[in-house]
Amino acid sequence: MNDSLGALELWVDRLGRRTRLGSPEVESLLALAHRRESIAKGRDLVRQGEAVEAACLVASGTIGRFKQNRDGLRQLAAIYIKGDMSDLHSVVMPISATELTALQDSVVLRIDHHGLRELACRSPLVAEAFWRDTTVDANIATERVFALGRLSALSRIAHLLSELSVRHEAIGDDPCAFPLHMSQVHIAEATGLTSVHVNRMFRELRERGLVEVTRLGAVIHDRAQLAKIGQFSPDYLHLPQVGIERRAEGTHLHR
Amino acid sequence: MNDSLGALELWVDRLGRRTRLGSPEVESLLALAHRRESIAKGRDLVRQGEAVEAACLVASGTIGRFKQNRDGLRQLAAIYIKGDMSDLHSVVMPISATELTALQDSVVLRIDHHGLRELACRSPLVAEAFWRDTTVDANIATERVFALGRLSALSRIAHLLSELSVRHEAIGDDPCAFPLHMSQVHIAEATGLTSVHVNRMFRELRERGLVEVTRLGAVIHDRAQLAKIGQFSPDYLHLPQVGIERRAEGTHLHR
DNA sequence: CGACCGTTTGAGAATTCTCAACACAGGTGG
DNA sequence: CCACCTGTGTTGAGAATTCTCAAACGGTCG
């Protein structure tokens, strides 16, 4: 699905929407060397405390960022889908404080820090674009703090689904029917709940006619209501409608 | 204590520890123009959605970053003390997704984006230092996600106090007796609890002989035990060694 | 077929919240 | 100087949400 447009193009496109890059910069970003790598479900890309020398761009599947402690307590702190750089910040902080794990069979592109650094040093605009990209990531973390600290179980799930809906929309998927490459256990790890309770909340959402989550993905029937329950407002994602409108007028990417 | 050392010096000093800056860079950072501003308790420095043109460096008091929604639900997402830049990221993301509020009477230095940008454009090292600084901020947010999602009320509070202890230590305060310029309501807003429950947990911590929190500040009697309860390990702050180990020379504080 | 992973459901337990009341300090105006 | 008022901390009791433990089910894959 959507493989016509590569992950690198998606990522650079988004960088370019948030930062006005010149075409030489765009060219050199698109020309970044990378290694394609398949990661089986449950496998780690990066361990906690590990020093990395490349950043990971998600090409397919879903990558989760986990914070874990000795007791095995595990919290899913971020979810990355196609076109997301899961650890661009590793360029300036190579020792990972968290762990990156494939939530489903995935493909990532490893891009050496070296190349990224070089571009950033050569062009302040690129440096700015990188910094801005990781800042959006931080925004998402802050939003999650809000959700975990102040929302009920149902709302947290609604919030998460709303966010994923918008992010999928931004990469050309149907915002109301997108694949959810994660189990209910993963949703629980992301929302600070138990999988048992997540299951009950899914039922609640289903019975209210808002969302159906199956193995195949999420089908959202009432996006507005879902966003309302989840206290969700997409500003913090900085995905200006630009992307959405542009697509409406022409080539829809299929599916 | 450390009032001899200004906030700007503290901040630049920390930048320099995390990024190897040349002395011209350090000079120009220290020479950054700024406006000193007193903020009364409860007053906003920055509103949600507002476009800002300057970043705020905390000189005294405590500044909180809040995420709020229409219903008045309010979550404290970050706490800034002396020497912290509360919104360096505003340089690349001028429209604030959160709100900055003084938790106590505070003094901040407003530093125009213009000057910061200029330095970052002129020196890739400075750009890197800035990016790295905001990445630590993101690390803290991620850590908070972990605490909110996976820790009990008691642990969350222990975690927060442990973090504040280390951060105060890093700016020259006594790590076991530092001012807490926040009310129990603020602690509750930070930990996703009610102030009533925070109060009970404080009692629990007091009765266990671990911490005493009064209007004057926090007095930690058993730092190791507190860190253990809070599942706290200070790596993510990227502060340690330099400041601390210089004194203890080789001894690891926790673990 | 059997094993396994993920989902689903039930029932009781634990944590945390809500509501309510009171204490105590500091500041304000009479 | 006192009365009052507001903000903060403290405590109690019952209620609500979420967890834990336990069991069963269905699909998928070797």
Side-chain angles (χ1 to χ4, degrees), chain A residues 67 69 71 74-75 92-93 117 128 130-132 134 143 145-146 148-150 188-189 192 231 238, chain B residues 67 69 71 74-75 92-93 117 128 130-132 134 143 145-146 148-150 188-189 192 231 238:
Chain A
K67 167 83 195 187
N69 69 357
D71 307 6
R74 202 184 186 225
Q75 172 68 29
V92 289
M93 194 135 296
R117 276 181 170 285
E128 185 177 327
F130 287 175
W131 184 6
R132 183 168 289 129
T134 59
E143 187 75 16
V145 167
F146 168 76
L148 287 168
R150 283 291 170 255
E189 289 174 319
Q231 310 271 358
H238 281 261
Chain B
K67 167 84 194 186
N69 70 357
D71 307 8
R74 202 183 186 227
Q75 172 70 28
V92 289
M93 194 134 297
R117 277 182 169 283
E128 187 177 327
F130 286 175
W131 184 6
R132 183 167 291 129
T134 58
E143 187 74 18
V145 168
F146 168 76
L148 287 168
R150 281 293 170 253
E189 288 174 320
Q231 309 272 357
H238 281 261

Side-chain angles (χ1 to χ4, degrees), chain A residues 41-60:
Chain A
K41 175 169 67 173
R43 278 302 179 74
D44 287 347
L45 280 100
V46 174
R47 303 265 165 75
Q48 218 162 297
E50 184 183 345
V52 298
E53 296 184 346
C56 302
L57 176 60
V58 184
S60 73

Side-chain angles (χ1 to χ4, degrees), chain B residues 18-219:
Chain B
R18 290 176 179 154
T19 308
R20 194 154 289 294
L21 297 172
S23 54
E25 276 111 355
V26 170
E27 292 307 312
S28 42
L29 283 167
L30 289 173
L32 276 166
H34 56 265
R35 298 186 300 291
R36 196 176 193 84
E37 202 170 307
S38 293
I39 313 284
K41 175 169 68 170
R43 277 304 177 74
D44 288 347
L45 280 100
V46 174
R47 303 264 165 75
Q48 217 162 296
E50 183 183 345
V52 298
E53 297 184 344
C56 302
L57 176 60
V58 184
S60 74
T62 307
I63 303 297
R65 167 182 305 287
F66 285 95
K67 167 84 194 186
Q68 200 166 20
N69 70 357
R70 304 139 222 145
D71 307 8
L73 274 180
R74 202 183 186 227
Q75 172 70 28
L76 185 45
I79 297 167
Y80 300 101
I81 62 176
K82 180 175 177 176
D84 289 333
M85 267 284 199
S86 60
D87 57 349
L88 184 57
H89 54 92
S90 67
V91 170
V92 289
M93 194 134 297
I95 298 196
S96 182
T98 51
E99 154 182 321
L100 291 178
T101 303
L103 302 186
Q104 279 300 326
D105 293 347
S106 304
V107 175
V108 302
L109 311 184
R110 301 252 196 191
I111 305 180
D112 280 337
H113 288 168
H114 181 71
L116 294 164
R117 277 182 169 283
E118 206 171 1
L119 286 188
C121 284
R122 195 154 0 115
S123 159
L125 265 186
V126 170
E128 187 177 327
F130 286 175
W131 184 6
R132 183 167 291 129
D133 204 49
T134 58
T135 299
V136 172
D137 215 50
N139 273 1
I140 296 180
T142 296
E143 187 74 18
R144 199 126 295 156
V145 168
F146 168 76
L148 287 168
R150 281 293 170 253
L151 300 185
S152 68
L154 192 71
S155 298
R156 284 184 222 174
I157 292 175
H159 187 282
L160 182 61
L161 291 176
S162 295
E163 182 185 303
L164 288 174
S165 167
V166 170
R167 286 170 59 194
H168 272 280
E169 185 175 28
I171 57 170
D173 288 349
D174 182 342
C176 293
F178 51 87
L180 242 202
H181 297 302
M182 345 169 28
S183 68
Q184 292 185 3
V185 173
H186 293 140
I187 303 276
E189 288 174 320
T191 51
L193 303 167
T194 57
S195 64
V196 171
H197 204 57
V198 167
N199 185 276
R200 288 193 234 274
M201 295 301 103
F202 272 177
R203 180 171 57 178
E204 173 83 22
L205 289 171
R206 197 189 320 131
E207 284 170 356
R208 290 204 206 172
L210 299 177
V211 190
E212 274 173 300
V213 180
T214 67
R215 262 165 237 264
L216 297 171
V219 177

Side-chain angles (χ1 to χ4, degrees), chain A residues 12-221:
Chain A
V12 173
D13 184 49
R14 193 163 65 205
L15 284 184
R17 282 190 192 141
R18 291 177 178 153
T19 307
R20 194 154 289 294
L21 299 171
S23 54
E25 277 111 355
V26 171
E27 292 307 312
S28 42
L29 284 167
L30 288 173
L32 276 165
H34 57 265
R35 299 186 300 288
R36 199 177 190 83
E37 203 170 307
S38 293
I39 313 285
K41 175 169 67 173
R43 278 302 179 74
D44 287 347
L45 280 100
V46 174
R47 303 265 165 75
Q48 218 162 297
E50 184 183 345
V52 298
E53 296 184 346
C56 302
L57 176 60
V58 184
S60 73
T62 307
I63 304 296
R65 166 181 305 288
F66 285 95
K67 167 83 195 187
Q68 200 167 20
N69 69 357
R70 301 140 224 148
D71 307 6
L73 275 180
R74 202 184 186 225
Q75 172 68 29
L76 185 43
I79 297 166
Y80 300 101
I81 61 176
K82 179 175 178 177
D84 290 334
M85 269 283 200
S86 59
D87 56 350
L88 184 57
H89 54 94
S90 69
V91 170
V92 289
M93 194 135 296
I95 298 197
S96 182
T98 51
E99 155 182 322
L100 291 177
T101 303
L103 302 186
Q104 278 300 324
D105 294 346
S106 304
V107 174
V108 302
L109 311 183
R110 301 253 197 192
I111 306 180
D112 281 337
H113 288 169
H114 181 72
L116 294 164
R117 276 181 170 285
E118 205 171 3
L119 286 188
C121 284
R122 191 147 12 107
S123 159
L125 264 186
V126 170
E128 185 177 327
F130 287 175
W131 184 6
R132 183 168 289 129
D133 205 49
T134 59
T135 298
V136 172
D137 216 48
N139 272 2
I140 296 179
T142 295
E143 187 75 16
R144 200 126 293 156
V145 167
F146 168 76
L148 287 168
R150 283 291 170 255
L151 301 185
S152 67
L154 193 71
S155 298
R156 284 184 221 175
I157 292 174
H159 186 282
L160 182 63
L161 291 175
S162 295
E163 182 185 303
L164 289 173
S165 167
V166 170
R167 286 170 57 194
H168 272 280
E169 185 174 28
I171 58 170
D173 288 349
D174 182 342
C176 293
F178 51 88
L180 240 204
H181 297 302
M182 347 170 24
S183 68
Q184 292 185 4
V185 173
H186 292 141
I187 303 275
E189 289 174 319
T191 51
L193 302 167
T194 57
S195 64
V196 171
H197 204 58
V198 167
N199 184 276
R200 289 193 234 273
M201 295 300 103
F202 273 177
R203 179 173 57 180
E204 172 83 22
L205 289 171
R206 196 189 320 130
E207 283 171 356
R208 291 205 204 170
L210 299 176
V211 190
E212 273 174 299
V213 180
T214 68
R215 263 166 237 262
L216 297 171
V219 177
I220 299 178
H221 295 120

